[in-house]
Amino acid sequence: MHIENTIKQLKAIVVVLVCLFCTTLQSNATTLLEYLNKIRKDDARITNVEYRNILIRECSKNDFDIYLALAQAELETKHGQTGIGRSRNSLFGIYKTYSSIEASICDYIRVVKTYYLTGSKTSQHLLRSYTGKSGRRYAGHKTYERELSKVYYRLKNAIDVI
């Protein structure tokens, strides 16, 4: 009887410790909105809530890796805050002018899925070699994949998208 009570007490302690551990892990995760609020300033074009909702909707609808989209938007234009992201609504470094950030996101997903995620390629393949079916690279910079990979894994480990 004494052993059974000891086992019950140990089980209770283990449950409490697991709960505490899980709570600690969850509290270290940043939501997508918290992340965007740190890196992006709201402006008249689109709010961070709208941006988050469009990203989640379009990536989900197109079975697209949202962390790849986030990493490229951060690396290319700081989520539309710099360069052509600001002047052309082009979040992902595509040299094209978009009527809206939503149009930029939709076209980016289309371009990547059509020209780069061909065959059995996944986002993990692109982090190693971001080349299309024609052999053309997404970016000209030699260390692009290394830089993109760093941002990708930092975001994947730090952000809870939903």
Side-chain angles (χ1 to χ4, degrees), residues 8-113:
K8 285 181 184 177
Q9 289 174 344
L10 286 173
K11 284 182 180 179
I13 291 170
V14 168
V15 168
V16 169
L17 289 174
V18 168
C19 288
L20 286 172
F21 179 71
C22 290
T23 303
T24 302
L25 286 178
Q26 288 174 350
S27 66
N28 289 335
T30 301
T31 68
L32 179 55
L33 187 56
E34 289 169 338
Y35 160 73
L36 292 174
N37 286 337
K38 287 179 193 170
I39 196 163
R40 261 188 108 249
K41 293 179 182 154
D42 283 345
D43 58 26
R45 294 178 305 153
I46 191 167
T47 68
N48 286 339
V49 172
E50 292 169 321
Y51 179 38
R52 177 203 59 194
N53 293 345
I54 293 166
L55 267 173
I56 290 171
R57 182 188 70 227
E58 292 304 319
C59 287
S60 179
K61 182 170 82 176
N62 291 286
D63 192 28
F64 193 86
D65 185 345
I66 193 167
Y67 293 103
L68 180 64
L70 286 168
Q72 285 200 263
E74 180 176 319
L75 191 61
E76 295 287 345
T77 67
K78 298 287 186 231
H79 298 277
Q81 301 300 294
T82 63
I84 63 172
R86 186 148 201 75
S87 63
R88 297 180 179 189
N89 281 331
S90 182
L91 299 179
F92 305 96
I94 297 172
Y95 283 92
K96 187 174 176 181
T97 300
Y98 295 97
S99 60
S100 66
I101 288 177
E102 182 173 2
S104 175
I105 292 169
C106 292
D107 192 48
Y108 160 76
I109 291 171
R110 182 195 62 77
V111 166
V112 173
K113 287 189 81 156

Side-chain angles (χ1 to χ4, degrees), residues 35 67-68 70-75 78 123-124 126-130 141-159:
Y35 160 73
Y67 293 103
L68 180 64
L70 286 168
Q72 285 200 263
E74 180 176 319
L75 191 61
K78 298 287 186 231
S123 57
Q124 299 303 307
L126 299 183
L127 295 176
R128 289 188 299 276
S129 177
Y130 211 132
H141 198 275
K142 286 189 227 179
T143 62
Y144 186 76
E145 288 86 351
R146 189 174 335 128
E147 292 171 26
L148 181 62
S149 195
K150 283 180 191 174
V151 175
Y152 177 92
Y153 287 110
R154 176 177 49 80
L155 296 177
K156 189 159 182 130
N157 291 325
I159 296 175

